[in-house]
Every structure is written in structure tokens, then in C-alpha cells.
Amino acid sequence: MSNFDLLYYLSQQKKLIDNSLRKYISFNSAYTKQISAAVKYALFPGGKRLRPILTLATADLCGLKAKEALPCACAIEFIHTYSLIHDDLPCMDNATYRRGRLSLHKKFGETLAILTGDLLLTKAFEIMVKNGITKKILPQNLLKAIRLIAHAAGVEGMLGGQVVDTCYPVKLITTNTIDYIHKYKTAALIKASVLTGAVLAGAHQKKISALAVYGEKIGLAFQIVDDIFDRDSTKTSYIRFYSIAECYEKAKQLVQKAKSKLYIFGRKAYILEQLANYVITRTE
Ligand code: GRG
């Protein structure tokens, strides 16, 4: 695998995912024109597509062709996109820009931004139920995947982390609070993205358990790197408690731990190793 080109791999997977995402947003009637435009703006050109890329990678690792896992991978990207739109709203992070362009509510107004987030969240589940079963995916495995994705997006996952991030009194925030926020707000959906591919493939429990640890560790490392990018030392950031060097060290250790869980897959885990490295070497 010495000639493996990670950036090329990421761009190819992004293309695959983008083509699939496009298929799910063709609900254009005279009455849905506005929200259709808003959904397109939110999804394209999009970001790194890290979560669906992880889903396709673990599906492949566990013996399921990546394209079989595309509906669930796209549904996860829909949920991620909804979370960014709502997070940017004036009542949350009040962000003017996202991915170098106006945030959705700045471009389309707050009402449409809230509704676009709601649309993406509900559509995600419609896609999984409607398109998730293929010849190679057993219905019970799809059901398990939907359940774990719903859990990761909900109050014991991303939404729960966001509640603490946005509503917890700032003066009570300790490193434990920040660990909690990171684990739920960010790592939960990344972990679910990793597990979804394996669950759809019907992987053995031993593999699922190893991937659960891998997913959570890279999810935490991802958020620490995000904190470093933000350099925001005021609220719920690692930077508030640790130096940049300490943050990098923590992220590196998490990635090391994540990769150490992959030994049961042998050389086939090469792509997941590279994706773990990417979480801390990425520049955006
Ligand atoms: C609104 C319920 C609700 C939750 C929002 C995830 C989240 C919770 C808010 C996003 C705030 C944020 C910027 C968190 C940092 C980690 C993160 C999710 C960064 C953005 O993810 P990337 O870098 O985005 O994967 P791209 O643009 O590549 O898709």
C-alpha cells in the first residue's frame, strides 16, 4: 500500500458521495423551489465528507461493497449538514460564514434555515428506510444501523452535547464538561459513521467493538484539532485549558489509540489508519 494516495482517495470518495447525495434532493415543485435551493446550497459544494467516507471505508473493510452503504452514508451527511445549519443560527453560534460562504440563514433567512435543517434530518431517515436495503444488506442490519445513527444524533449523542455546549453555565465548565461536550457533540456522530459500515456488513461483535473505540478516539481527536483551528479560548474549547502543544499531543495520542485497535483487521485496515492520520494532519 506504499503507493496509496490519500488525497486522491478522498477526492474519489467525495465524488461518489456527491453523486449519490444529488439523487436524494430532487423534490422540486413550484412550492418547494425555495427550500430546494437552500438544500442545494447547504449540501454543495459541501465539506470534506469525512463521515460518509468513514462509513464507506468500514463497509469495505468488513466485506460490503462501498456502494451498498451509500444510502446510509448520505443520510449521515444529511444529519451532519443539518447540525451545521442549526449551529450557525443566531440563537446558537450566530455565524455569518460557513465554508467560506454566507451561512444558510444569512443567505436564505432564518425561517428557511431552520426548515432546511429539519428537512435534512427527516429526509435522512426517509432515505435509509427507503433506499437502505440492498441485495447484500439484511433488513435487521439496516435496522441496527438506523438505530445507532438515531441514537448518535439525539440527546445521548450530538444533540445532547450541543445542549451542554450552548446552555451550560460558562463558569461551571471544567475539563470534564469539555470532555463530555466533545464526546457527544462531535465524536458520537463520527463513531456512528464508522460503525454504520460495519453493522450494515454484518460484522462480528469483536470487529464492531474495536471500531467503536477507533471511531470514538478519532472523533475526539477531530474535535481537538477543530479547537486548535478555531483558537477560541473563551467557551467550551480545549484551548481554554491546554496549550496548543498539549492539544496536539492529546490528539496524537488519541489517534495512536484508535489505530492500535485496528490490528485485528490486519493489512486491510490500511485505509482506516490513513483516515485516522488525516484527522490530525488535515488543514481544513
Ligand atoms: C444543532 C443539534 C445540533 C447540533 C450541532 C456538530 C454540531 C452540533 C455543531 C457544529 C459545531 C462545530 C463547528 C463543531 C466542531 C466539529 C465539527 C462538527 C466541525 C465541522 O465538521 P467538518 O469539519 O465539516 O467535518 P465539513 O465542512 O468538512 O463538513
Side-chain angles (χ1 to χ4, degrees), residues 157-158 161 178-189 191 216 220 223:
M158 181 177 76
I178 294 183
D179 285 340
Y180 182 94
I181 292 169
H182 283 195
K183 183 171 167 188
Y184 292 101
K185 184 181 87 167
T186 310
L189 195 62
K191 177 178 166 187
E216 181 161 310
L220 292 170
Q223 181 58 59

Side-chain angles (χ1 to χ4, degrees), residues 47-48 51 80 82-83 86-87 99 162 222-223 226:
K48 298 177 284 300
R51 293 156 193 78
H80 166 63
Y82 124 77
S83 81
H86 281 193
D87 186 62
R99 299 170 178 152
Q162 180 77 347
F222 183 92
Q223 181 58 59
D226 211 69

